[in-house]
Amino acid sequence: MSHDPNCLFCRIAAGEIPAQKVYEDDELIAFKDIRPAAPVHLLIIPRQHITGLGDVTAEHEALLGRMMTLAPRLAVEQGATNGFRTVINTGPDGGQEVYHLHLHVMGGPRPWKHG
């Protein structure tokens, strides 16, 4: 499994940098975003260093499937019971800031929309 010692998310996966983890197994880690854009804002990352969605191949199909099936379960567990959104930013024009594949899972109650 590849690891980039200069990558923030590889360092989180290796336990070198703390994160508020909500899930982890041999292939994936999920943790709370440090700059949340919603009441529930998680990142799901593979332990394997993959730069971005543009770099995935057929060998990553099962991994991507696991990320996508984990997202709804974690969203609900973390309080996004009325819906959520998923986003994968890819490359500079796609808004990617950390060049390690990651799936944003965002949702939760939005009190500013009611009233």
Side-chain angles (χ1 to χ4, degrees):
M1 185 176 311
S2 65
H3 173 85
D4 179 345
N6 298 311
C7 171
L8 173 67
F9 289 169
C10 282
R11 294 184 68 203
I12 288 172
E16 298 169 11
I17 295 175
Q20 288 185 288
K21 294 177 186 174
V22 297
Y23 178 86
E24 67 181 306
D25 64 27
D26 290 343
E27 292 184 305
L28 301 173
I29 299 175
F31 53 92
K32 295 181 179 182
D33 194 299
I34 61 169
R35 293 183 314 211
V40 173
H41 189 165
L42 310 173
L43 300 176
I44 301 174
I45 68 167
R47 289 185 184 272
Q48 175 185 3
H49 183 80
I50 303 167
T51 303
L53 192 58
D55 295 307
V56 301
T57 64
E59 76 178 73
H60 301 112
E61 287 178 11
L63 180 68
L64 291 171
R66 290 199 62 234
M67 291 172 71
M68 294 304 289
T69 57
L70 182 60
R73 186 179 105 202
L74 294 180
V76 170
E77 286 176 4
Q78 294 297 309
T81 57
N82 198 36
F84 61 93
R85 64 186 277 206
T86 56
V87 175
I88 298 176
N89 299 322
T90 306
D93 289 344
Q96 187 173 3
E97 294 178 5
V98 177
Y99 284 83
H100 182 119
L101 178 65
H102 55 287
L103 173 65
H104 293 262
V105 180
M106 297 170 280
R110 297 172 187 235
W112 60 88
K113 289 195 150 204
H114 306 285

